[in-house]
Amino acid sequence: MTTAPAIEIAGLTKSYGDHAVLRGVDLSVPPGSIYALLGSNGAGKTTLIKILSTLLHADDGRASVAGHDVADQPRRVRESISLTGQFAAVDEILTGRENLVLVAQLRHLREPHAIADDLLSRFDLSDAGGRRVATYSGGMRRRLDIAMSLVGDPPVLFLDEPTTGLDPQSRIEVWRTVSELAGRGTTVLLTTQYLEEAEQLADRIAILHDGRIIADGTLADLQALLPPAAVEYVEKRPTLEDIFLTIVGSNS
């Protein structure tokens, strides 16, 4: 039995005037996986996400999300996805619970308060649900933002550089959240500039460069592209991130 890709892209192109951003992108994302899209600033990552989420039209090629054509069935695509950008789209005046209830009501879902309480529990925010979001840490805001994206259980989630500006501890909180989402069957397309983030989270990794996918595979597949490393004994010292998390953890 074959399983259709959650996201499928073929020959996608996009230009702004004379500047070609996407030059024929091909990509296939299996359902229930975390797929990391790597690329430097200006590589076209956000442009690709905007096309897939129907916020931007491609010049040529085709793309489908959850089996729906992005160009011909934009409404069906929007019903199947959620998008979380680089900055948390939460209302700081409202409480965490009120943010979630509002989104559920806007989506015309039944029992919005029950939906909010379930998501607060899933994202370890129950104790903070009655507090104004202005009092939340960066990691808590990002977790709430992702929780809001999941109201209505969309099968596909786009995360566009979700840990930009977060401290190391908050980044790890978000990583745990994203891993749990994939474990529940959500397909996650993650754009990031943090290579460690892709190593920690992704089932597969694609590298977007100069408007094209130039490498695509598991971490082991990509590692195999390089010559074998010479084996030497090296004393491993803790990284600054290891030190920071150890010190903070011991004083929390």
Side-chain angles (χ1 to χ4, degrees):
M1 183 176 67
T2 59
T3 302
I7 303 169
E8 192 158 25
I9 305 167
L12 211 62
T13 66
K14 180 64 180 179
S15 297
Y16 297 104
D18 295 332
H19 177 55
V21 179
L22 303 178
R23 302 169 181 264
V25 172
D26 301 298
L27 195 64
S28 181
V29 178
S33 65
I34 301 176
Y35 215 107
L37 184 63
L38 304 181
S40 57
N41 283 332
K45 303 187 301 298
T46 297
T47 295
L48 181 59
I49 293 294
K50 285 183 176 180
I51 291 172
L52 294 175
S53 54
T54 75
L55 298 175
L56 193 65
H57 292 289
D59 295 334
D60 200 2
R62 64 177 183 82
S64 64
V65 178
H68 307 301
D69 188 273
V70 169
D72 297 336
Q73 301 170 293
R75 182 175 178 179
R76 298 297 300 274
V77 171
R78 289 193 289 270
E79 291 172 349
S80 304
I81 68 170
S82 194
L83 169 63
T84 298
Q86 297 179 23
F87 304 101
V90 295
D91 190 321
E92 295 187 351
I93 297 176
L94 301 179
T95 67
R97 180 176 286 105
E98 288 169 342
N99 270 276
L100 290 163
V101 168
L102 177 61
V103 174
Q105 290 173 336
L106 290 173
R107 288 182 175 265
H108 305 290
L109 300 177
R110 295 180 179 179
E111 301 183 357
H113 292 276
I115 292 171
D117 288 339
D118 175 62
L119 285 166
L120 287 170
S121 176
R122 280 175 56 185
F123 286 82
D124 197 24
L125 290 169
S126 294
D127 291 343
R131 285 167 38 199
R132 289 176 57 184
V133 174
T135 68
Y136 284 18
S137 68
M140 293 170 67
R141 293 185 191 203
R142 177 54 79 186
R143 289 191 346 252
L144 176 63
D145 190 32
I146 296 174
M148 291 166 62
S149 298
L150 293 178
V151 171
D153 294 318
V156 178
L157 176 62
F158 299 122
L159 295 179
D160 190 13
E161 301 192 16
T163 60
T164 296
L166 295 185
D167 60 73
Q169 205 165 14
S170 298
R171 287 176 63 200
I172 290 175
E173 289 178 11
V174 173
W175 291 353
R176 174 177 56 82
T177 298
V178 173
S179 295
E180 290 173 355
L181 290 177
R184 290 172 174 261
T186 303
T187 302
V188 178
L189 181 60
L190 164 76
T191 74
T192 182
Q193 296 184 62
Y194 299 125
L195 303 187
E196 182 188 8
E197 189 159 272
E199 287 187 22
Q200 291 286 337
L201 292 175
D203 300 304
R204 294 183 68 86
I205 300 166
I207 298 175
L208 181 63
H209 180 71
D210 197 25
R212 293 185 176 88
I213 300 293
I214 60 171
D216 176 16
T218 65
L219 178 59
D221 292 336
L222 300 185
Q223 288 172 334
L225 298 175
L226 301 180
V231 178
E232 298 179 358
Y233 173 78
V234 178
E235 181 180 355
K236 184 181 185 299
R237 293 182 176 273
T239 65
L240 183 57
E241 186 167 304
D242 293 332
I243 296 168
F244 175 86
L245 293 173
T246 299
I247 293 174
V248 170
S250 64
N251 286 276
S252 59

